Amino acid sequence: MALERNVKKKPARTHDRRNIWLLVLTTVLVVVSVALFVPPQEKINQGLDIQGGLSVVLTAKSDDGGAVTADDMEKSRAIIESRVNALGASEATVQVQGSDQILVQIPGLSDTEEALATIGRTGSLTLARLDSFTDQEVVKQIQSGQYANEATFTDDYGNTFPTGETQHLTVEPGTYTPLVTGENITNVTIDRASETGTDYAVNVTLDAEGAAAFAEATAELAPTKGEIVIILDDEVQSAPRVQSEIPNGQVQITGNYTQEEAKNLQTILESGSLPVSFEYAQSQVVGPTLGQDALASGVLVALIGLAVVMLYLLVFYHGLGLITAAAMLVFAVLYLGILAALSAFGLFSLSLAGVAGIVLTIGMAADSSILTLERFREEIRMGRSVRAASITGVRHAILTSIDADLVTLVSALSLFFLASASVKGFGLTLALGILCDIVMMLLFKAPLIRLLAPKAIARHPGFWGTRDSVEAARAGEAAAKAAEADGAAKADGAQAAGTAEAAGAAGAVKAAEAGAQAAGADASPAKAPAPKVKGRFIKHDINFLGYRKVFLTAAAVAMCACFAVVGLRGLNFGIEFVGGTSVAFHDTGEVTIEQMRDAFADAGEPDAVIQTTTADGEEGFLVRTTTTSAEDAAASASAVASELGLSTESFEVTTIGPDWGASVIQSSLIAFLVSLVLIIAYIGIRFRDYKMGIMAVVALFHDLILVMGIYALVGREVNPNTIAALLTILGYSLYDTVVVFHRINDNMSGESIRCTFMTMANHSVNQVLIRTVNTTLTSFIPVFAMLLFGGETLKDFAFAMSIGLIAGSYSSIAIATPLYAMWKTREPKFAKLQKKYGAEIARFGFEHAGSEPIAQVPLARLEAAAAAAAAPEKAPQKSTGNKKKPKKHGRS
């Protein structure tokens, strides 16, 4: 026996050691993360809407003197946007302004020359033989190497000084014959120009056509050491002599480039040449669209909301709430560390859409923590020891959380890889947060609970919030033993397992009474109510699916109403979608952004997007409105100037195109639809049931349509903040639905199911109900606080989120689950169960240690057996006659 005891203890010590090492690893990761992100305002890049940046206006001009077409401007906008994104400014704004201008706003950038050297450069690359040039003066300069000289500056006294910049020789198009152009480029890389030099070169790979032309030319020029001239935007970069034939299409461009200049040239060549050339029009440093005061108030309100959430968790879960708070803290530190690491490499900029992704992942991290605590308490209540519950309960909860996380991750990755603009930033932050949540669960939360369970939690159940679960387990065990003893004595040895099928009628009466004592319910009208078991438990299933027709009818009416409202009133799209006008105010003195916003509201433009600007040392504002008429915008600007005491000549009005153009909206919709297909596929493979995925998507559409209908009803503006909120709702809705479906899948996986699918689906909803309420509250409180007390620019996000959070939790219970249960009931296996047990929803009684594992018979059937046993003439009868009772007493 001693040997046997030693064998049992060894795995426990091994598990404890492993859990300790996991916590040590978590500590190391936390320390590294803190070092990476402190101070966060400096280590994490911020987008234009949060920190402001550089605003540059580029004016297009046609090379042939003709008019610039709208198609040329749209192509140029797409190319410039790709160049800006390649520089690491993923949250930049690039939009057509007027008929021949492009507005570029780059977060955090203040070096105008650096921006113009990359984004506005035409990028037209040409390779030509020197002997094809017709201008002999140019030929002489190239042959003598005078095509890249250091620029000089002459002061007022006639003194000449070098500027340190390289000035390239300009050649006129038409004075030479192009050999290869930028259209023949297939790949661009950078490397050092030579092993001993410090300057860099750009290496270009040509396609088959270009390589053939280049090989033929070099073969002809090699014997005479002729020169190939490399021209970029009509400027000679280099003119290397040909030493031998180059058949592989490899060309090296040199020009005394620094590494940064070489990278910029690589970006230009990879994005392609602009169809028209651009010249510098104006630049100014702009402030954030949110306004620092609005941002600060929003963050403060959100933090207060989170503090209230933590207080609620401590009150509800006691000591286990401390574990949740610690898990949230670890999650936040790891998350910030990853964002700081990506910012260091120029791969991340935090925008409001990114903030939405962070809000969602924080809610999901709290969700997974609450799910773990609820499953842990449930396992204790069902009779497991605290130690065993910390292993099995935590494992089941983490598996459920990971399934829900992975479903959301599929959506996040689809948005990141396929969408554009701020939607891409949302997808990135959401995906990173999901990975952090999974790491936090596996490395911190699970090991911590398992280490604390055997001693701390088991010895002090009152402090840790498990006393009610322990007492319920004891009461259940006592009730089960009493029911078994009484049933054995009065039912002539029949086993009283708590079912009408397994015991005689008299035994069923005692079993029903014992179960009622544990649940605090009266199993027989003739008996007085037993004392209730204290605790936050569902004592009796709520008949949600019994009212499924009411829920689904209400949902259908609501959807029809939403479509009608949108059709009649339409959606109030913001300037980012429909374009409008831009008003630039100069030299505004002490006017604040709040005063400017109030003045535009008084002028009939309450939804104006306002940024502070600084140009040539003068403070000003850049205001964008949805007014498409320049005259009306000028009238509003004049009214604002008069109200604020500004000169009527201190502003300019320009029409601007939509920031969210057709291409951006199209890519976002494609990403959304692809994510839905992948979600259905993942759920179908993971749970072996594609119907779950389809119903999850149906519930998702219900939530999104409801939000848009309410937006149309109240007339709120649909802007990128709204889109960020809708994407956040997408994640919440999917997470809630998958958690419910996961419990249904677990419950129906048994071999001997003794109730209908509809009954078990209803029971599954009740099992996760407390978790749903708590997670909805923990997410809703900070968002609602932001809606009430946050800045005006954050209220659009908070308004949509408040509706979506409630709709997401509601649809999981009232839309997705009923539709899924109705569909599954039609399957032959479950149709037989419904025929056997009746179509009425039977409800389970209080689950405790004396309950049978998931195959337990619902309370309604026990009550039916008790009622049958109460009649003297039916007391000796067998329980087979009770099979139809749930249909009669299902609503008891």
Side-chain angles (χ1 to χ4, degrees):
M1 294 299 291
L3 178 61
E4 184 179 355
R5 284 195 299 270
N6 290 336
V7 172
K8 289 182 178 179
K9 289 182 179 179
K10 186 175 181 180
R13 290 199 303 269
T14 302
H15 290 314
D16 288 347
R17 190 181 301 115
R18 183 179 65 182
N19 291 329
I20 291 173
W21 278 113
L22 289 175
L23 292 179
V24 170
L25 176 59
T26 303
T27 303
V28 173
L29 292 177
V30 166
V31 172
V32 172
S33 298
V34 170
L36 286 174
F37 78 78
V38 174
Q41 66 272 18
E42 297 178 6
K43 296 295 184 66
I44 299 178
N45 295 338
Q46 299 174 356
L48 188 73
D49 52 3
I50 294 180
Q51 71 162 344
L54 177 67
S55 177
V56 177
V57 177
L58 301 173
T59 301
K61 60 177 182 179
S62 176
D63 296 332
D64 57 7
V68 178
T69 65
D71 186 50
D72 288 339
M73 292 301 296
E74 179 56 30
K75 289 180 179 178
S76 299
R77 188 204 63 78
I79 292 173
I80 291 175
E81 184 176 51
S82 68
R83 292 179 180 181
V84 171
N85 291 340
L87 293 176
S90 57
E91 299 294 342
T93 298
V94 181
Q95 58 188 169
V96 177
Q97 181 170 274
S99 60
D100 63 348
Q101 289 185 332
I102 290 183
L103 171 66
V104 183
Q105 293 185 323
I106 306 175
L109 188 64
S110 57
D111 189 343
T112 305
E113 295 182 1
E114 179 185 350
L116 292 176
T118 303
I119 61 177
R121 198 165 184 175
T122 306
S124 176
L125 178 68
T126 304
L127 276 64
R129 295 171 54 148
L130 181 60
D131 56 15
S132 71
F133 280 75
T134 59
D135 190 333
Q136 295 303 313
E137 185 64 30
V138 170
V139 172
K140 291 180 181 179
Q141 286 183 276
I142 293 176
Q143 287 178 334
S144 62
Q146 297 179 7
Y147 51 78
N149 301 316
E150 187 175 21
T152 58
F153 167 73
T154 303
D155 63 13
D156 296 337
Y157 301 98
N159 300 315
T160 302
F161 303 96
T163 63
E165 298 179 356
T166 302
Q167 187 174 14
H168 294 274
L169 174 65
T170 301
V171 294
E172 294 295 331
T175 61
Y176 56 87
T177 302
L179 176 64
V180 175
T181 66
E183 295 180 357
N184 300 114
I185 296 175
T186 60
N187 187 42
V188 185
T189 61
I190 65 170
D191 200 354
R192 289 191 181 276
S194 64
E195 295 181 359
T196 58
T198 59
D199 55 327
Y200 283 77
V202 179
N203 303 312
V204 174
T205 302
L206 303 176
D207 60 12
E209 180 183 355
F214 193 67
E216 181 181 356
T218 54
E220 294 177 1
L221 293 173
T224 60
K225 301 297 187 288
E227 293 163 301
I228 295 287
V229 184
I230 300 176
I231 307 165
L232 180 65
D233 293 344
D234 299 333
E235 293 183 350
V236 177
Q237 303 297 306
S238 59
R241 292 184 179 275
V242 179
Q243 304 299 322
S244 61
E245 180 185 355
I246 304 176
N248 56 5
Q250 299 292 330
V251 181
Q252 185 180 69
I253 304 175
T254 59
N256 298 323
Y257 301 128
T258 64
Q259 185 178 20
E260 190 65 29
E261 290 171 340
K263 286 183 178 179
N264 291 343
L265 179 55
Q266 179 187 20
T267 299
I268 293 169
L269 295 178
E270 286 179 335
S271 63
S273 59
L274 294 170
V276 293
S277 59
F278 285 86
E279 62 183 14
Y280 166 81
Q282 67 177 22
S283 71
Q284 54 191 348
V285 177
V286 299
T289 53
L290 291 179
Q292 290 299 325
D293 293 340
L295 178 63
S297 64
V299 172
L300 178 61
V301 169
L303 290 177
I304 293 175
L306 287 175
V308 174
V309 167
M310 291 303 169
L311 181 62
Y312 172 78
L313 293 176
L314 289 175
V315 171
F316 196 90
Y317 292 109
H318 302 290
L320 292 179
L322 293 175
I323 296 179
T324 300
M328 295 292 294
L329 181 61
V330 170
F331 166 82
V333 171
L334 295 178
Y335 198 9
L336 292 175
I338 291 179
L339 297 184
L342 292 176
S343 297
F345 291 98
L347 301 176
F348 178 77
S349 293
L350 181 63
S351 65
L352 183 62
V355 172
I358 293 175
V359 170
L360 174 54
T361 51
I362 289 175
M364 292 170 64
D367 204 334
S368 64
S369 295
I370 292 173
L371 184 63
T372 303
L373 300 185
E374 285 294 336
R375 190 59 183 259
F376 175 54
R377 286 163 42 84
E378 180 182 342
E379 295 269 339
I380 296 174
R381 188 174 77 246
M382 295 302 295
R384 289 187 178 273
S385 67
V386 175
R387 182 187 183 90
S390 71
I391 297 174
T392 58
V394 171
R395 182 177 67 248
H396 286 304
I398 288 179
L399 288 176
T400 302
S401 297
I402 290 178
D403 278 328
D405 279 339
L406 291 180
V407 170
T408 311
L409 182 62
V410 168
S411 175
L413 293 179
S414 299
L415 294 173
F416 175 70
F417 286 111
L418 299 178
S420 57
S422 58
V423 177
K424 184 183 290 288
F426 172 85
L428 176 61
T429 53
L430 178 56
L432 294 175
I434 291 171
L435 295 177
C436 283
D437 184 36
I438 294 175
V439 170
M440 180 268 292
M441 286 190 292
L442 297 177
L443 297 186
F444 178 74
K445 186 164 53 183
L448 183 60
I449 293 177
R450 287 167 181 166
L451 281 175
L452 292 175
K455 296 182 180 180
I457 299 178
R459 294 177 182 176
H460 307 284
F463 174 80
W464 292 100
T466 59
R467 184 187 300 278
D468 53 356
S469 295
V470 173
E471 291 177 349
R474 291 172 181 170
E477 291 174 354
K481 290 179 181 179
E484 183 178 359
D486 289 344
K490 296 186 179 182
D492 195 23
Q495 294 181 354
T499 70
E501 293 176 335
V509 174
K510 295 299 182 182
E513 292 175 354
Q517 290 176 0
D522 187 6
S524 172
K527 300 290 183 180
K532 294 184 178 181
V533 176
K534 296 181 179 179
R536 299 176 292 276
F537 310 121
I538 299 296
K539 306 300 192 300
H540 193 280
D541 281 354
I542 301 172
N543 193 14
F544 289 112
L545 297 194
Y547 298 96
R548 59 188 179 277
K549 292 183 179 179
V550 176
F551 291 143
L552 295 176
T553 301
V557 171
M559 294 300 96
C560 292
C562 287
F563 282 118
V565 171
V566 172
L568 294 175
R569 294 176 58 94
L571 292 171
N572 180 23
F573 286 103
I575 189 173
E576 293 82 2
F577 295 94
V578 298
T581 56
S582 172
V583 184
F585 287 89
H586 307 291
D587 194 17
T588 53
E590 301 297 326
V591 176
T592 65
I593 192 170
E594 287 76 16
Q595 291 174 329
M596 182 65 69
R597 185 174 289 115
D598 292 341
F600 266 93
D602 295 339
E605 297 287 352
D607 297 320
V609 179
I610 302 175
Q611 295 171 277
T612 59
T613 63
T614 304
D616 300 327
E618 293 183 353
E619 301 294 331
F621 291 93
L622 185 64
V623 183
R624 293 181 294 164
T625 71
T626 53
T627 302
T628 56
S629 168
E631 292 76 11
D632 293 342
S636 299
S638 297
V640 169
S642 300
E643 181 177 344
L644 299 177
L646 303 176
S647 170
T648 55
E649 299 180 355
S650 63
F651 61 84
E652 299 116 16
V653 178
T654 310
T655 58
I656 62 175
D659 187 8
W660 282 58
S663 61
V664 176
I665 297 175
Q666 181 180 4
S667 64
S668 300
L669 287 176
I670 291 174
F672 176 68
L673 295 176
V674 169
S675 69
L676 296 185
V677 173
L678 292 177
I679 286 168
I680 294 174
Y682 174 81
I683 294 178
I685 295 172
R686 173 63 181 86
F687 298 107
R688 300 178 182 177
D689 191 352
Y690 69 93
K691 296 174 183 177
M692 280 189 178
I694 294 177
M695 290 302 102
V697 170
V698 170
L700 171 62
F701 274 113
H702 164 271
D703 302 338
L704 298 180
I705 294 171
L706 184 64
V707 173
M708 298 312 297
I710 294 177
Y711 254 73
L713 181 63
V714 301
R716 292 191 74 97
E717 184 183 76
V718 178
N719 53 36
N721 300 353
T722 310
I723 302 303
L726 291 176
L727 294 172
T728 311
I729 293 166
L730 180 152
Y732 271 117
S733 180
L734 288 175
Y735 197 99
D736 273 343
T737 304
V738 170
V739 169
V740 176
F741 283 173
H742 199 287
R743 181 55 70 96
I744 295 175
N745 187 71
D746 287 346
N747 288 346
M748 295 304 294
S749 61
E751 295 295 331
S752 56
I753 304 300
R754 284 181 277 175
C755 65
T756 64
F757 189 95
M758 193 72 69
T759 292
M760 191 57 75
N762 187 71
H763 182 55
S764 300
V765 170
N766 280 271
Q767 285 179 309
V768 299
L769 182 61
I770 292 180
R771 168 255 158 209
T772 301
V773 172
N774 282 340
T775 54
T776 302
L777 284 176
T778 55
S779 301
F780 181 78
I781 291 173
V783 173
F784 189 67
M786 190 182 299
L787 175 63
L788 293 180
F789 308 109
E792 184 64 32
T793 50
L794 291 175
K795 288 188 176 180
D796 289 321
F797 174 76
F799 180 77
M801 279 291 298
S802 298
I803 302 171
L805 282 172
I806 298 174
S809 299
Y810 168 81
S811 65
S812 299
I813 297 174
I815 308 296
T817 304
L819 288 175
Y820 176 62
M822 291 167 63
W823 197 353
K824 291 291 289 185
T825 300
R826 295 176 179 272
E827 295 181 4
K829 173 184 176 181
F830 301 117
K832 290 180 180 179
L833 288 176
Q834 180 159 328
K835 185 176 181 180
K836 179 178 181 180
Y837 294 111
E840 201 71 33
I841 303 294
R843 287 173 286 162
F844 285 79
F846 175 62
E847 289 183 291
H848 51 73
S851 304
E852 291 187 51
I854 216 57
Q856 60 179 328
V857 174
L859 179 62
R861 299 195 61 221
L862 294 180
E863 293 175 340
E873 65 277 9
K874 293 185 179 181
Q877 295 179 3
K878 294 184 178 180
S879 61
T880 53
N882 295 327
K883 288 184 178 181
K884 297 293 183 179
K885 292 297 182 180
K887 190 172 183 178
K888 186 176 181 179
H889 297 280
R891 295 184 181 277
S892 58

